[in-house]
Amino acid sequence: MAKADTSTVTVIGLGAMGGQLARAFLVKGADVTVWNRSPQRAATFAEMGARIAASAADAVKASDLTVMCVLSCQAADEILAAPGVIPALGGRTLVQLSAGHDQEIRRQYARVEQAGGRMLAGGIVAYPFLIGESTTTILYSGSEPAFEEHRETLALLAGAQRFLGSDPARFGATFHALFAYYHAAYAGYLEGLALATAQGVALEDFSALIPGMDVMLSHHIPDAALRIRDAEYGGEQASIDTHIGGISVMLQLARDHGVQMHVMDAFIEYCRAAHDAGEGGQDIAAIYKRMVAGEKGGGTHQAG
Ligand SMILES: NC(=O)c1ccc[n+]([C@@H]2O[C@H](COP(=O)([O-])OP(=O)(O)OC[C@H]3O[C@@H](n4cnc5c(N)ncnc54)[C@H](OP(=O)(O)O)[C@@H]3O)[C@@H](O)[C@H]2O)c1
């Protein structure tokens, strides 16, 4: 396979995700150096053609671009504190894909910048098996010149990458919010499955109907976005009170069959709070006002 133009890269951290990042670079023909705290993990990457660095500092020195993906920013801090690592980042780029709080990310960015290096921080919106796909998203923020310089190499990991601003922690505002959506949808599938199977529905039969619900959501979400933007909550399709009626039946069934539906319990609480605020006749998107209020049940969204 032909090498990518900007094809020299170091990967630090070879766990489930870091290992897949290294594999994707290797499969796409990049020149890869790897380092992992536990050296035994590196052997399979050597078989695929990667160079194994003797230390984290040597790994950083091997490439202009280092992608770090370890358990957490605290783990990343330990690696950055190892002899020679921070000085080696001078004139180079660190892409930090390890989970961390905004303050940890900004602190690391400042350390790298102080050493004369550049840093991007990012959030991987995928499980490892999706790394390398054209539709996979990684959100980045931090040094824009570094992103521009290395975008081609980074695109080997995720074809749908995005740069979201120069504050290195900025990507997190979108990244964590996206996972609120993902986890709630996933929990909804599992709760629904528990309710269906408790009543004798086959797992396969229930699961086969989920894509139809995805189609419904793919229409409903853009509609909700417009309603929220325009503060336009007419309940002509299905009001909050209509939803309360349907969800109440669902939750009664769950109780009858001993099924736990905590996510649905929380959802109906939002609906009831909206009803109590006199909004039961509005579209279901109006429960958003209960979420942005800051305090239970009060306040309204500021459109725009
Ligand atoms: N897996 C996913 O689906 C996924 C998705 C999005 C984002 N991420 C993020 O990717 C990062 C890595 O996740 P993962 O799934 O690859 O985790 P993992 O399989 O548990 O691997 C953890 C990696 O971190 C290293 N590590 C842990 N503590 C360390 C320390 N104190 N010093 C040096 N290295 C240390 C481990 O090294 P050893 O081999 O020596 O233990 C290993 O390479 C996390 O921040 C996670 O939030 C993961």
Side-chain angles (χ1 to χ4, degrees):
M1 183 177 290
K3 291 209 169 220
D5 283 338
T6 45
S7 64
T8 303
V9 61
T10 287
V11 178
I12 291 183
L14 298 171
M17 182 54 87
Q20 195 57 23
L21 302 178
R23 250 175 244 116
F25 282 133
L26 284 163
V27 165
K28 294 188 178 189
D31 190 342
V32 181
T33 298
V34 296
W35 182 84
N36 192 69
R37 176 182 64 174
S38 309
Q40 64 273 20
R41 276 204 210 251
T44 53
F45 296 90
E47 285 163 21
M48 291 181 74
R51 264 188 298 276
I52 313 299
S55 67
D58 284 353
V60 171
K61 283 182 208 157
S63 315
D64 283 346
L65 174 66
T66 290
V67 175
M68 189 180 292
C69 186
V70 291
L71 192 61
S72 60
C73 263
Q74 290 100 302
D77 273 341
E78 287 180 31
I79 295 169
L80 293 176
V85 174
I86 283 287
L89 282 167
R92 295 189 167 90
T93 295
L94 173 67
V95 175
Q96 184 56 267
L97 296 176
S98 315
H101 188 272
D102 292 10
Q103 283 153 12
E104 294 174 306
I105 292 166
R106 291 194 188 109
R107 201 179 56 236
Q108 279 188 1
Y109 185 92
R111 284 181 74 192
V112 172
E113 198 176 38
Q114 215 169 23
R118 298 182 301 192
M119 184 174 131
L120 286 163
I124 303 168
V125 192
Y127 288 111
F129 76 95
L130 287 170
I131 294 301
E133 299 291 326
S134 60
T135 50
T136 298
T137 300
I138 299 182
L139 304 176
Y140 293 103
S141 52
S143 166
E144 191 163 11
F147 181 74
E148 288 307 324
E149 188 177 328
H150 297 292
R151 67 184 308 153
E152 217 181 300
T153 306
L154 295 173
L156 300 178
L157 302 177
Q161 65 188 7
R162 298 246 186 119
F163 180 79
L164 296 180
S166 58
D167 171 357
R170 183 65 192 158
F171 78 91
T174 303
F175 177 75
H176 298 295
L178 281 176
F179 275 98
Y181 171 72
Y182 180 83
H183 291 310
Y186 194 67
Y189 163 67
L190 296 175
E191 288 191 351
L193 180 64
L195 182 61
T197 56
Q199 297 170 89
V201 178
L203 178 150
E204 294 79 6
D205 292 345
F206 174 75
S207 303
L209 290 167
I210 292 295
M213 302 304 281
D214 290 342
V215 171
M216 216 162 99
L217 260 187
S218 74
H219 289 289
H220 203 183
I221 287 173
D223 176 72
L226 289 180
R227 287 175 184 276
I228 292 164
R229 186 195 67 186
D230 300 339
E232 173 48 66
Y233 296 114
E236 64 282 354
Q237 287 288 319
S239 68
I240 287 171
D241 284 345
T242 304
H243 281 79
I244 290 174
I247 298 168
S248 298
V249 174
M250 178 209 297
L251 291 173
Q252 184 58 52
L253 274 174
R255 280 192 292 277
D256 294 347
H257 292 278
V259 171
Q260 301 294 318
M261 299 189 87
H262 295 319
V263 174
M264 284 299 100
D265 284 336
F267 191 78
I268 202 168
E269 281 309 308
Y270 285 125
C271 295
R272 287 188 180 130
H275 172 91
D276 292 347
E279 297 171 353
Q282 294 189 4
D283 183 87
I284 190 70
I287 65 169
Y288 176 73
K289 291 183 271 183
R290 303 299 118 201
M291 297 166 187
V292 294
E295 291 182 29
K296 273 190 195 163
T300 54
H301 174 75
Q302 300 298 308

